[in-house]
Amino acid sequence: MRKLLLTIPAVMLFAAPAMSEEKIELTEKQQTMLDKRLEGRTAGEPRSCINGNDQRNMTVISDDILIFGSSRNARTIYVNMPYGGCRNADRNILVYSRPTSSLCKGEIIRLVDNHSGITMGSCSFGEFVPYTKDAD
């Protein structure tokens, strides 16, 4: 029994990369919204954290894609894909507390119902991929 308990976490660790490469299915509306936000931008190297200024105006594209950026005209925006998705993110208020001014992968997001204020679940931020406007 003890060997089995030690084996399970190792199996989960090796399965994690395979799960993160799953194709994300978006509705036509979600895909259009994502395309519009990423138009004319180039992806950079993923970051573990973003600073306070980059956390403004979070947009929920789908349960699997969140975008952070100070505005639609911001030079750089950040795309985050929460680990395992964030079920019903578009229907709830996303609440996260920051121990520092940075927001980092692995931090927990609570999903709070818009009407009742009841916590409906949680998820965890993934890496933040910067998308920078291409030079004109």
Side-chain angles (χ1 to χ4, degrees), residues 1 3-4 30 33 45 64 68 91 93 106 115 128:
M1 181 67 161
K3 284 185 180 181
L4 178 63
Q30 291 168 335
M33 190 183 332
E45 288 295 315
D64 299 296
F68 291 85
R91 296 185 196 116
I93 298 170
H115 303 290
F128 296 87

Side-chain angles (χ1 to χ4, degrees), residues 29-135:
K29 181 180 177 182
Q30 291 168 335
Q31 187 64 56
T32 299
M33 190 183 332
L34 180 62
D35 291 345
K36 198 176 283 188
R37 290 299 301 271
L38 299 181
E39 184 179 7
R41 296 176 182 275
T42 302
E45 288 295 315
R47 297 182 182 177
S48 295
C49 300
I50 58 175
N51 69 37
N53 291 333
D54 295 325
Q55 298 170 34
R56 297 184 189 153
N57 295 333
M58 180 180 65
T59 303
V60 176
I61 299 294
S62 72
D63 291 352
D64 299 296
I65 301 173
L66 309 175
I67 295 180
F68 291 85
S70 57
S71 72
R72 290 190 187 277
N73 297 322
R75 177 155 170 70
T76 303
I77 60 175
Y78 295 87
V79 174
N80 189 281
M81 296 192 299
Y83 296 112
C86 203
R87 191 170 168 199
N88 296 320
D90 60 340
R91 296 185 196 116
N92 293 287
I93 298 170
L94 291 119
V95 179
Y96 50 91
S97 59
R98 297 170 291 179
T100 66
S101 62
S102 295
L103 186 60
C104 298
K105 74 177 185 177
E107 289 188 38
I108 303 297
I109 311 162
R110 286 187 309 122
L111 300 168
V112 178
D113 182 77
N114 284 322
H115 303 290
S116 68
I118 296 172
T119 298
M120 304 301 289
S122 63
C123 46
S124 177
F125 287 118
E127 290 186 308
F128 296 87
V129 178
Y131 280 79
T132 305
K133 280 188 177 181
D134 299 333

